[in-house]
Amino acid sequence: MNILLAIPAYNEQDTITQVIRRVPSIITSILVVDDGSTDNTRILAKQAGACVISHGRRKGVGEAFRTALSYAVSQRADYLVTIDADGQMFPEDIPKLLTPLANDEADIVIGSRFAYKHISQETPILKRVGNAFFTKLMGWLTLTHFTDTQCGFRAYSREAILKINIVNAFTYTQETLLEASKKGLRIKEVPVYVGPRISGESKVVRNVFHYGVSVVMLISRYLRD
């Protein structure tokens, strides 16, 4: 079984080594997509044993995900797992995401940060409200119940890897769900723990307004298709 772990990273030199070293042995290979970092993220990731693909400049987490998808296809990965580089997600939870894929219960598995009550209480109020709004909206559009649609800790089957086509460079978390729904892919959530952010700059939502506009445009395109 060929299981690829992809880690999008932007200026995460303080955490990238720890994240890689905590990856369970079930993972076949690790790819760090360096999205134009200006620190030592790329060097430390290579020293920790990861393959690194570097963007010449910062292109966005959506573009980093597209790079991961292309690499997964080229490596004939059976499963693709994505996790953030900031250390908030626990690599030890990776088998939990892979189990529904292995049991043929889903094609995409999302780690839900909000399935545990104490996690939502630690999340900033603005982020919590925004997440709740887009989660409800995605649920309505895809006729699927979600508790967390922004989390980047996910697992994808080979069918999902081959069928998903992302065009938005700014974000991908919403677009993958719309793509999955349109193409008949099964989506499942599993609860995951999240810790406090230690340092670093990798994040999906760099600007709340721009993120909202981006998602609205994405949804408009989806409804037209």
Side-chain angles (χ1 to χ4, degrees):
M1 187 66 66
N2 184 6
I3 307 174
L4 170 67
L5 175 67
I7 310 174
Y10 175 74
N11 288 349
E12 297 287 1
Q13 65 178 11
D14 294 335
T15 55
I16 191 65
T17 299
Q18 180 186 30
V19 171
I20 293 172
R21 288 178 176 172
R22 289 172 58 190
V23 171
S25 59
I26 191 174
I27 294 297
T28 307
S29 57
I30 301 173
L31 169 70
V32 171
V33 182
D34 171 38
D35 192 34
S37 295
T38 56
D39 63 0
N40 292 318
T41 295
R42 179 178 68 256
I43 296 172
L44 293 174
K46 287 182 177 179
Q47 289 177 350
C51 171
V52 178
I53 296 178
S54 295
H55 294 164
R57 57 179 175 81
R58 192 174 189 185
K59 297 182 178 181
V61 70
E63 190 66 33
F65 179 67
R66 284 202 292 184
T67 297
L69 278 178
S70 297
Y71 187 80
V73 171
S74 71
Q75 297 300 303
R76 300 182 181 276
D78 296 298
Y79 300 138
L80 167 66
V81 181
T82 57
I83 191 172
D84 295 342
D86 58 15
Q88 285 189 280
M89 302 299 167
F90 294 9
E92 292 83 0
D93 279 337
I94 288 174
K96 189 187 299 184
L97 272 69
L98 291 171
T99 297
L101 300 183
N103 292 338
D104 195 28
E105 299 170 355
D107 301 297
I108 299 175
V109 180
I110 305 171
S112 173
R113 301 163 293 180
F114 302 102
Y116 295 132
K117 290 183 179 180
H118 74 279
I119 295 177
S120 62
Q121 292 170 356
E122 295 172 357
T123 305
I125 183 70
L126 181 60
K127 188 173 183 180
R128 213 186 316 161
V129 171
N131 193 301
F133 171 77
F134 284 115
T135 294
K136 289 290 186 183
L137 182 58
M138 287 298 112
W140 178 73
L141 289 170
T142 62
L143 301 179
T144 305
H145 173 71
F146 295 114
T147 60
D148 187 359
T149 57
Q150 276 75 53
C151 184
F153 193 13
R154 300 181 175 188
Y156 303 83
S157 68
R158 178 158 181 81
E159 183 177 6
I161 293 169
L162 294 174
K163 285 187 175 181
I164 290 175
N165 180 36
I166 300 300
V167 300
N168 195 314
F170 188 67
T171 182
Y172 72 94
T173 52
Q174 312 289 356
E175 189 173 3
T176 53
L177 303 183
L178 296 174
E179 276 278 291
S181 176
K182 184 169 61 176
K183 296 179 178 178
L185 298 173
R186 299 163 297 167
I187 309 169
K188 183 181 178 68
E189 285 187 329
V190 297
V192 295
Y193 284 101
V194 59
R197 187 182 183 93
I198 300 171
S199 64
E201 301 179 47
S202 298
K203 58 178 68 177
V204 173
V205 184
R206 284 182 276 167
N207 181 290
V208 174
F209 175 76
H210 288 165
Y211 179 79
V213 171
S214 178
V215 173
V216 168
M217 292 176 63
L218 171 65
I219 292 171
S220 298
R221 189 182 72 248
Y222 170 78
L223 294 175
R224 288 197 305 268
D225 292 342

